Structures are given as structure tokens and as C-alpha cells.
């Protein structure tokens, strides 16, 4: 549980030094959690905490974070993000649109990967605009990480190419913007993870 403020004598509240990145994650696998928690040992000015949810729909994930915000003592500079996969099912578009409105109202950042988080890993190796489903994406990733498993961690193997991945992800955003793609499911492949990683990286030094 998040406890940022401690009570001292005469009701004086003091803040702990490190800011928090609170990440709402889907609970179906540990890929995202393993990756982001690997940043903690090298962070000097911040700490990452994962809030793993039993739900997998975007609206449910955002609602879980809203409840957390109401029940926990947080600081204004803490960053709260909802991290999830767009997948490829058509019904997901409406859910994401609803989640985006809810998140915006409650100052929660959406970090969406299309079709899945593995596109962020793949962008450490190549830039591609190829359309992916979940299986074909993992197949292509295994060309570079043969022993890849969703529940494992490849953070140490790819961290040296983080800047390359950020550049490739930004390039993908520009590619979709040039084609005026506004629907989340149309932006395949893409990932917002580069934004979160950039914010986290600012707290390393």
C-alpha cells in the first residue's frame, strides 16, 4: 500500500524524499511489472510501485486507480499511470475511449501498447510499421530474444537500447499522425511506454 506521508508530533506531516510512479497494471501476466520494477534499483529520486488489478478492461483499471487516489495519501508530483494493451478485438476501442475520458478527468495517464507491451521490447531492436496480432508480435520478438517468456524479465538485456526504443516509438507516433489515425486500434503497432520511460529516466540522476 502507498504511504507517503507520516504523522509526527502535533499533527505535523512530513513528506518522504522520493516521488512515486504508481502504475495500474493488468493482472493476467507479470511482463509489465517485471520490467518497470527493474528500474527501482537505479532510481535516485523516485520509486515505482505497481498496483496489479484483477480486471483486464481499461475502464476497470482506471477505476481501480481512482479508488487508490481516494484512499491513499499522495503528493502532487506523484505520477499515476494506467498501463494496458489495446489488443486487436474491435470492442476494445469503445472501452479505451471511455477509459481515456475517465482518466483525463482524474489526472491519470494512459500508457497503451498496441497490440501488446511486447511492441515496446521489439522497438529496442528495429523500427517497424508492420501490423501485428499478439502471436506474430511475439514471434518477431523471439528473432531477437529467442528465449523470451511473458512472465520473465529482459530488462538487463535491452536497457542499453532504451533511447533507440524511444526514438522508434516516437517515429511510430508520427507515422500514425501523418495518416490521421485517431482511433486507438488503428494505431497498430504503437506504444506510449516511451513517455513513461522518459519520465522515469529523468529521476535516475
Amino acid at each position: 500500500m502507498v504511504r507517503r506521508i507520516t504523522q509526527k508530533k502535533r499533527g505535523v506531516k512530513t513528506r518522504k524524499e522520493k516521488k512515486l510512479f504508481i502504475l495500474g497494471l493488468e493482472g493476467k501476466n507479470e511482463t509489465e511489472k517485471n520490467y518497470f520494477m527493474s528500474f527501482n534499483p537505479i532510481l535516485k529520486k523516485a520509486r515505482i510501485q505497481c498496483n496489479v488489478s484483477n480486471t483486464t478492461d481499461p475502464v476497470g483499471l482506471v477505476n481501480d486507480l481512482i479508488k487508490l487516489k481516494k484512499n491513499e495519501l499522495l503528493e502532487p508530483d506523484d505520477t499515476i499511470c494506467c498501463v494496458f494493451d489495446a489488443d486487436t478485438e474491435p470492442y476494445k476501442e469503445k472501452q479505451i475511449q471511455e477509459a481515456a475520458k475517465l482518466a483525463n478527468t482524474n489526472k491519470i495517464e494512459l500508457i497503451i501498447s498496441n497490440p501488446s507491451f511486447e511492441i515496446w521490447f521489439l522497438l529496442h531492436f528495429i523500427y517497424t510499421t508492420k501490423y501485428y496480432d499478439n502471436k506474430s508480435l511475439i514471434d518477431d520478438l523471439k528473432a531477437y530474444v529467442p528465449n523470451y517468456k511473458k512472465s520473465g524479465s529482459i530488462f538487463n538485456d535491452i536497457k542499453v537500447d532504451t533511447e533507440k526504443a524511444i526514438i522508434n516509438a516516437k517515429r511510430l507516433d508520427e507515422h500514425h499522425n501523418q495518416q490521421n489515425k485517431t482511433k486507438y486500434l488503428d494505431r497498430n503497432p504503437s506504444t506510449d511506454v516511451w513517455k513513461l520511460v522518459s519520465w522515469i529516466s529523468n529521476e535516475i540522476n
Side-chain angles (χ1 to χ4, degrees):
M1 300 293 286
V2 181
R3 298 294 178 192
R4 296 297 307 289
I5 301 175
T6 54
Q7 198 77 19
K8 286 194 172 183
K9 292 181 180 179
R10 297 183 181 180
V12 177
K13 294 180 179 180
T14 60
R15 173 197 167 95
K16 293 184 177 179
E17 292 183 1
K18 293 186 177 183
K19 67 175 289 184
L20 274 175
F21 287 93
I22 301 174
L23 311 184
L25 306 176
E26 299 174 275
K28 61 185 178 182
N29 63 63
E30 297 187 349
T31 305
E32 294 90 337
K33 180 180 178 181
N34 288 339
Y35 175 76
F36 286 114
M37 292 299 286
S38 295
F39 278 100
N40 273 332
I42 59 176
L43 286 177
K44 294 183 179 180
K45 298 183 291 183
R47 180 168 60 86
I48 295 170
Q49 178 161 320
C50 294
N51 184 58
V52 179
S53 175
N54 290 325
T55 185
T56 58
D57 73 277
V59 176
L61 289 166
V62 173
N63 276 323
D64 281 352
L65 288 173
I66 292 172
K67 292 176 184 177
L68 184 147
K69 288 186 69 175
K70 291 179 179 179
N71 295 330
E72 302 295 345
L73 298 172
L74 305 174
E75 295 290 343
D77 64 340
D78 290 336
T79 300
I80 303 178
C81 299
C82 187
V83 184
F84 60 89
D85 297 340
D87 297 316
T88 56
E89 293 88 348
Y91 71 84
K92 209 62 177 294
E93 181 67 34
K94 182 179 179 180
Q95 290 184 351
I96 296 173
Q97 295 284 356
E98 292 178 2
K101 293 178 182 179
L102 193 59
N104 184 59
T105 301
N106 291 277
K107 297 182 179 180
I108 294 171
E109 299 285 346
L110 291 192
I111 304 297
I112 306 170
S113 296
N114 189 352
S116 66
F117 194 80
E118 278 78 12
I119 188 62
W120 170 246
F121 293 158
L122 184 61
L123 291 174
H124 286 71
F125 302 98
I126 60 170
Y127 170 77
T128 177
T129 60
K130 174 182 174 180
Y131 179 89
Y132 283 108
D133 58 23
N134 291 327
K135 182 181 182 304
S136 61
L137 174 55
I138 291 179
D139 286 344
D140 277 12
L141 178 59
K142 284 185 175 181
Y144 302 92
V145 189
N147 297 320
Y148 177 75
K149 295 181 180 179
K150 288 187 71 69
S151 60
S153 176
I154 61 171
F155 179 85
N156 290 328
D157 298 321
I158 64 175
K159 64 181 180 181
V160 67
D161 290 313
T162 298
E163 188 59 34
K164 178 180 177 181
I166 291 173
I167 292 171
N168 285 338
K170 287 182 178 180
R171 189 178 169 191
L172 269 178
D173 278 349
E174 293 170 0
H175 167 76
H176 294 306
N177 291 340
Q178 288 171 359
Q179 296 187 18
N180 296 316
K181 293 182 179 179
T182 56
K183 291 184 177 181
Y184 291 97
L185 293 189
D186 288 342
R187 298 172 72 89
N188 182 323
S190 65
T191 180
D192 298 317
V193 174
W194 72 267
K195 300 176 185 178
L196 177 52
V197 170
S198 295
W199 300 332
I200 292 171
S201 297
N202 287 336
E203 308 298 333
I204 292 177
N205 297 320

